[in-house]
Amino acid sequence: MMTRTASPQQSTLESAMSRRRFLQTSAGLSLLAAAGGSPLLSFFAQGAPFQDAAAGPLGKWISSTCQGCTTWCPVQIRVVDGRAIAVRGNPHSKANHGQICPRPHLALQQLYDPDRIKVPMKRTNPKKGRNEDPKFVPITWDEAMGLIADKMMELRADDETHKFVLFRGRYSYMRDIIYSAMPKIFGSPNGISHSAICAEAEKFGAYYTEGFWDYRDYDLENTHYILCWGADPVSSNRQVPHAMSMWGKVSDQATVVVVDPRLSASAAKADEWLPVIPGEDGALAVAMAHVILTEGLWNRDFVGDFTDGANHFTPGEVIDETLFTENRTNGLVKWWNIELKDRSPEWAADVCGIPAEQIRRVAIGFAKAAPRAISWLSPGASMQARGGYAAMATHALNGLVGSSDHVGGVVQKTKVPADTVPDYSEYQDDISKHNSKQPKMDRRGSLEFPAMNAGKSGGGVVTNNAADSILNDDPYDIRVAIVYWANFAFSCSGSDRWERALSKLPFMAHVTTHASETSHFADIVLPAAHHMFEKWSFLKSKQNLYGYSTLTERVVEPMWDVRQDETEVPWLLAEKLAERGFDNMLRYFKEQFADPETGQHPSNSAEFAMTAVKQFTRACWDQTHPDHGKYGDALNGWQDFAKKGVWNSHRFKCGKVREAFKTSTGKFEFYSETLKTALTAHADKHGTTPDGVLEATNYTARGELAFVPHYEPALRWGAEAEYPLIFFEHRSRLNREGRSANCPWYQTHKNADPGDENWADVLKMNPVDAKRLGLTSGDRVKVTSPIGSIEVDLKLWEGVRPGTVTKCYGQGHWAYGRVAALDYQKRVPRGGNNNQILPAEYERLSGSTARHGGVVRVKVEHA
């Protein structure tokens, strides 16, 4: 299982497609596609030197932001004669070293995709379903917004404004205009985000140990050990440009271990690969904690020690809590007595499939390298049906070795100043105030869906359950929906539920750059500006210990009749509502937003978009703002910000957070009083006990075990006798949030993902299993789970753990364009959508969709 030494599969993976080859190809092709192949532009294919955004004969570089993942890297785009032709990292960014990964390059093909939505469209076939032709016809923006406003005014006339829902997918930090202010002023509580299908369970682990509900940052520059739990830093998850820039240094100075049932790109470059049984990460994590304690390798400065200086952590033995004095942690001995004392490597080996000696070796190596060590939690180890406690266990290793908030370890984030939407309460009438307090339609906060974001019952979102809420009219029927930058009919597990739910919706408008599976069920389709090239907004993120605010800018004039989703669309809708007698929203936009430089209020949608982004980012650039220069760059006015495109924070300094963690005890909690308080409050709300909550949320723990990181057996759909293989999915280094499939470069370079093939969608199976089943590479196979089937090509590959099969997420579109589909007109997909065989299961404490951890078993047979 060692992989630093060259193995046949590693050599194949590393030689199949280099990043340099991909970037060279994409740079060259983008120039040819955008500028007709002029030899003059070959200069840029070799990598243009950084220069200011001044215009010249070869165009100019203009700043913007890539939203291909949630790191939101600052980028610059070369514009020649009004055409975007190339992308590079923003040299003013301290976070990504002025570098980018492959994803921003693919955005060029999204921008100029002939399959984009070009004008508003109206459905003329009232019947809805996958096999129904919507019979869309083009209409004007004026007519489209009028039709939406008519449906919304019907809700106001019936005092049922709460039956309106705004579904949000990916977003910018202009989001609260359309996601919060617009529904609340209209009178609905229903702003439903995509967050729970993304990574909320990952945040659960850090919050209920150290009080931080967010993604962490990592000090790669100074670390000596990285333990990746399903994370693939050089390819996917977050901070890819930073990881790619640092990985050579990391490999020279640190040990890298990857826990993943698939040989990912990071695993292929690691010192050790631990192909864990999917869903059993928690067993591995608590066994490592057991080893660290029994070997006496915990960090005494951070954690504390026995009063007599001896090590009393003896396997199987209960310890008197009074013998141990803790420093900056809470409940270590409780954790030992309740969970860890019996979790030996030998026990774990049978559960998680990793040899006991390897568990022991990795645990000791990790602890000895600490506190400059990182236990890197990712969605793969947390977005499981019982993944909340696995997330806690993997993150608790950082506390055990003292690497939380330490140089070379795991850190939180620096402050990025920004404003949000002004108070809108004065613009809410009686209907709005009353109906905005109705229960949210996704049933967050119910007994079986605690969704305890930051400790609050119902504080999170249960995105995927919204489909069942629509189908069951629970808690009420939804009559009108607006969806933007989301494709839940494809991207949510149990996707057939969304097809039925969207078919049932009386009226739905979809704001999108491309037609998609969700658009197929829409009554109105509105063409959106592309976020990276045609939209004014800003984003906040972090990497390399820097926080940053980064602009997306309109770097080219749109070729088609598009509008900006989070600003222009709400304004246009507000105008139509005002014409029909409800002017509260339009008055709010006109009166509460003003250009910080001129004081002028917006008078149209384009002015509103520009005014809002300047108002929200004022702290970064306005020298009269009290926070200007306080937390980082002191930019010299709006033009300086727009030119540079990014505001950088001061670099994060370790040590202050650990002085007072934002937990109930103020300490890093191995025994989580924070979780105990949250679970008890949710139980009291429903007249039950924490044990009753755990039973309702499919957890096995009872009593005190509920308040410590512990092992939970994997929950899987399907009996092993009928469905002998565990199915799990992974992500592509080329997926722009799952939106790359209609880009030819994505298909042409798909083998950049280990084990995958170009222009194909392959199920990867270990040759051991294939021999037993009588299957060979290239076979067309049917993959069946308890909820559905897909057909794909089979690829025999030693990089997947025996007993499991895996497939990349992103293929299987039937309505996303002529490249993404095998036959767009006949709705024949290219490959299969994983969400047709993944069930709608949840990590319910956080509200997350349980799309990882081998939540379903499958059978594979010849198609």
Side-chain angles (χ1 to χ4, degrees):
M1 295 184 185
M2 295 284 291
T3 59
R4 178 61 63 84
T5 55
S7 64
Q9 63 263 40
Q10 179 181 353
S11 299
T12 301
L13 295 174
E14 293 184 342
S15 63
M17 170 57 68
S18 70
R19 176 178 179 272
R20 178 175 299 174
R21 176 180 157 198
F22 172 79
L23 297 183
Q24 287 176 338
T25 304
S26 61
L29 287 176
S30 66
L31 299 170
L32 293 172
S38 169
L40 181 66
L41 300 176
S42 63
F43 166 76
F44 301 114
Q46 301 303 317
F50 288 133
Q51 63 186 61
D52 257 343
L58 300 179
K60 58 182 178 180
W61 289 103
I62 304 177
S63 298
S64 194
T65 304
C66 173
Q67 288 188 255
C69 76
T70 52
T71 300
W72 298 325
C73 283
V75 300
Q76 289 189 335
I77 298 150
R78 180 165 285 281
V79 178
V80 176
D81 294 332
R83 299 275 290 181
I85 66 165
V87 184
R88 70 180 185 189
N90 188 328
H92 301 291
S93 172
K94 297 178 181 178
N96 66 350
H97 313 275
Q99 304 297 320
I100 53 175
C101 74
R103 292 183 183 90
H105 297 278
L106 273 71
L108 289 165
Q109 290 197 327
Q110 291 180 323
L111 173 65
Y112 294 118
D113 188 345
D115 289 339
R116 279 187 66 178
I117 302 295
K118 300 173 179 64
V119 297
M121 297 190 299
K122 178 178 70 174
R123 183 186 202 92
T124 60
N125 180 5
K127 294 181 180 180
K128 295 182 180 180
R130 183 188 285 209
N131 295 320
E132 292 290 341
D133 184 350
K135 297 182 179 178
F136 286 119
V137 296
I139 58 175
T140 65
W141 273 94
D142 187 71
E143 181 182 355
M145 302 312 291
L147 290 170
I148 299 171
D150 286 340
K151 294 296 181 180
M152 293 177 69
M153 290 304 292
E154 289 175 12
L155 295 181
R156 289 197 68 82
D158 295 340
D159 193 12
E160 291 187 336
T161 55
H162 59 291
K163 295 183 178 182
F164 166 80
V165 60
L166 188 286
F167 285 115
R168 184 194 83 193
R170 183 51 62 215
Y171 57 88
S172 78
Y173 276 85
M174 311 308 294
R175 62 191 181 187
D176 285 340
I177 294 172
I178 190 172
Y179 176 70
S180 180
M182 188 180 86
K184 295 292 178 60
I185 293 173
F186 177 70
S188 174
N190 291 316
I192 305 297
S193 81
H194 81 293
S195 301
I197 65 171
C198 186
E200 294 303 275
E202 178 184 338
K203 301 171 187 176
F204 186 95
Y207 183 79
Y208 289 107
T209 51
E210 64 171 87
F212 182 63
W213 189 277
D214 205 339
Y215 305 123
R216 282 75 53 216
D217 203 349
Y218 308 94
D219 187 6
L220 300 183
E221 183 178 358
N222 297 298
T223 195
H224 293 161
Y225 206 107
I226 299 178
L227 177 58
C228 291
W229 297 90
D232 188 7
V234 301
S235 293
S236 62
N237 205 12
R238 297 169 189 88
Q239 306 190 358
V240 176
H242 172 47
M244 291 170 64
S245 297
M246 293 298 300
W247 216 248
K249 187 176 191 298
V250 167
S251 297
D252 289 342
Q253 71 187 23
T255 298
V256 178
V257 175
V258 174
V259 180
D260 196 322
R262 174 184 72 105
L263 186 68
S264 65
S266 296
K269 298 175 180 296
D271 294 274
E272 295 204 48
W273 172 41
L274 279 62
V276 67
I277 296 173
E280 305 293 4
D281 309 78
L284 182 58
V286 296
M288 288 184 178
H290 175 100
V291 170
I292 290 169
L293 293 178
T294 57
E295 295 290 332
L297 295 175
W298 71 90
N299 186 291
R300 286 163 173 78
D301 289 338
F302 183 74
V303 178
D305 203 358
F306 290 99
T307 54
D308 62 2
N311 182 8
H312 296 278
F313 290 117
T314 302
E317 294 188 8
V318 173
I319 298 172
D320 182 351
E321 292 180 34
T322 64
L323 298 178
F324 197 96
T325 301
E326 290 187 83
N327 292 336
R328 290 172 171 158
T329 64
N330 178 73
L332 176 64
V333 176
K334 280 184 183 290
W335 187 25
W336 170 266
N337 290 338
I338 294 169
E339 169 69 2
L340 297 183
K341 62 183 176 62
D342 299 317
R343 300 309 195 190
S344 67
E346 288 71 23
W347 163 83
D350 292 335
V351 177
C352 70
I354 303 300
E357 180 51 40
Q358 191 173 30
I359 297 173
R360 185 172 284 106
R361 181 174 66 247
V362 170
I364 291 172
F366 175 75
K368 286 185 174 180
R372 296 186 178 226
I374 295 168
S375 179
W376 192 322
L377 169 62
S378 79
S382 56
M383 290 188 69
Q384 306 171 2
R386 294 171 177 154
Y389 289 103
M392 290 178 68
T394 53
H395 190 70
L397 295 176
N398 292 306
L400 202 55
V401 302
S403 63
S404 182
D405 189 38
H406 193 280
V407 173
V410 180
V411 303
Q412 294 190 5
K413 64 178 180 180
T414 56
K415 182 176 177 62
V416 178
D419 292 333
T420 185
V421 290
D423 180 66
Y424 44 74
S425 58
E426 292 184 5
Y427 297 85
Q428 291 181 292
D429 60 14
D430 290 341
I431 291 176
S432 300
K433 290 177 180 177
H434 178 266
N435 288 343
S436 292
K437 295 178 181 178
Q438 296 276 1
K440 295 206 174 194
M441 58 85 68
D442 61 345
R443 300 189 64 244
R444 68 185 73 180
S446 62
L447 176 60
E448 62 269 37
F449 288 115
M452 299 187 303
N453 181 321
K456 179 184 177 182
S457 172
V461 61
V462 195
T463 312
N464 205 11
N465 194 54
D468 294 300
S469 295
I470 294 171
L471 290 170
N472 300 326
D473 295 334
D474 183 11
Y476 41 78
D477 60 306
I478 297 298
R479 292 172 54 186
V480 179
I482 295 177
V483 184
Y484 87 94
W485 209 347
N487 186 16
F488 295 153
F490 179 86
S491 61
C492 286
S493 56
S495 57
D496 66 297
R497 298 155 41 259
W498 279 95
E499 293 187 19
R500 288 185 281 115
L502 296 178
S503 295
K504 181 185 176 185
L505 266 181
F507 185 85
M508 188 261 283
H510 192 202
V511 188
T512 180
T513 56
H514 290 71
S516 69
E517 287 74 16
T518 297
S519 307
H520 189 78
F521 300 90
D523 297 277
I524 299 291
V525 180
L526 300 173
H530 193 284
H531 62 274
M532 188 166 150
F533 305 96
E534 300 171 332
K535 177 180 175 180
W536 281 101
S537 71
F538 84 106
L539 298 114
K540 300 187 296 181
S541 193
K542 59 186 174 294
Q543 56 183 319
N544 192 25
L545 277 64
Y546 288 99
Y548 51 94
S549 178
T550 175
L551 290 173
T552 69
E553 304 192 26
R554 177 159 282 188
V555 302
V556 295
E557 287 303 310
M559 296 175 63
W560 298 298
D561 192 15
V562 302
R563 298 292 187 275
Q564 300 173 66
D565 45 19
E566 295 169 317
T567 49
E568 288 193 279
V569 170
W571 177 282
L572 294 172
L573 181 56
E575 287 183 327
K576 291 303 175 184
L577 290 171
E579 290 175 6
R580 287 154 176 78
F582 181 72
D583 69 349
N584 303 42
M585 195 181 302
L586 186 61
R587 285 191 292 109
Y588 170 72
F589 291 156
K590 286 185 174 182
E591 296 168 2
Q592 295 300 317
F593 288 80
D595 188 313
E597 291 183 300
T598 67
Q600 182 177 343
H601 295 276
S603 61
N604 58 54
S605 64
E607 287 180 4
F608 178 60
M610 197 69 196
T611 297
V613 72
K614 292 174 73 174
Q615 184 167 312
F616 287 4
T617 61
R618 185 181 155 222
C620 293
W621 59 267
D622 186 347
Q623 293 170 310
T624 67
H625 194 284
D627 287 339
H628 181 261
K630 183 177 179 180
Y631 302 105
D633 293 345
L635 297 173
N636 186 25
W638 169 253
Q639 292 302 321
D640 190 28
F641 189 24
K643 180 180 179 180
K644 292 177 179 174
V646 61
W647 173 94
N648 302 283
S649 75
H650 300 307
R651 201 157 198 254
F652 184 91
K653 292 184 179 179
C654 300
K656 185 175 181 180
V657 171
R658 60 171 49 199
E659 293 176 2
F661 289 104
K662 293 182 179 179
T663 57
S664 295
T665 62
K667 297 184 176 184
F668 192 105
E669 295 183 343
F670 299 124
Y671 182 91
S672 181
E673 295 287 354
T674 306
L675 179 56
K676 187 174 186 178
T677 298
L679 278 174
T680 301
H682 184 72
D684 291 345
K685 175 180 172 181
H686 295 284
T688 186
T689 64
D691 282 357
V693 174
L694 292 174
E695 181 178 7
T697 55
N698 291 329
Y699 277 99
T700 64
R702 301 292 184 268
E704 291 284 88
L705 189 60
F707 312 127
V708 298
H710 66 268
Y711 166 68
E712 287 275 343
L715 186 154
R716 306 196 202 282
W717 286 47
E720 185 174 0
E722 183 176 0
Y723 303 99
L725 297 167
I726 298 171
F727 176 85
F728 69 96
E729 68 172 17
H730 64 91
R731 295 294 182 266
S732 170
R733 69 194 315 169
L734 306 181
N735 255 348
R736 292 182 50 78
E737 293 280 3
R739 298 177 177 90
S740 301
N742 209 52
C743 300
W745 293 340
Y746 172 82
Q747 304 290 352
T748 300
H749 296 280
K750 193 65 184 67
N751 67 2
D753 296 314
D756 278 359
E757 298 290 336
N758 296 337
W759 292 95
D761 189 23
V762 297
L763 180 77
K764 296 175 281 289
M765 177 185 289
N766 193 284
V768 172
D769 295 314
K771 183 177 180 180
R772 175 172 51 85
L773 296 172
L775 299 170
T776 61
S777 271
D779 285 351
R780 189 69 176 173
V781 294
K782 182 179 181 181
V783 186
T784 304
S785 79
I787 73 155
S789 299
I790 57 175
E791 290 188 8
V792 294
D793 296 328
L794 185 67
K795 170 78 176 287
L796 303 193
W797 189 51
E798 293 179 352
V800 61
R801 182 185 176 89
T804 72
V805 288
T806 187
K807 193 173 84 63
C808 189
Y809 169 77
Q811 300 277 38
H813 282 285
W814 51 271
Y816 202 60
R818 288 169 285 185
V819 175
L822 200 60
D823 189 325
Y824 183 57
Q825 294 298 323
K826 296 181 180 179
R827 294 182 287 280
V828 178
R830 185 182 299 281
N833 180 7
N834 297 351
N835 288 316
Q836 291 180 221
I837 59 175
L838 284 169
E841 187 54 83
Y842 304 87
E843 195 295 302
R844 295 166 184 262
L845 295 180
S846 66
S848 292
T849 294
R851 60 184 315 116
H852 295 299
V855 70
V856 71
R857 289 183 168 276
V858 298
K859 58 182 176 183
V860 181
E861 53 198 347
H862 286 106

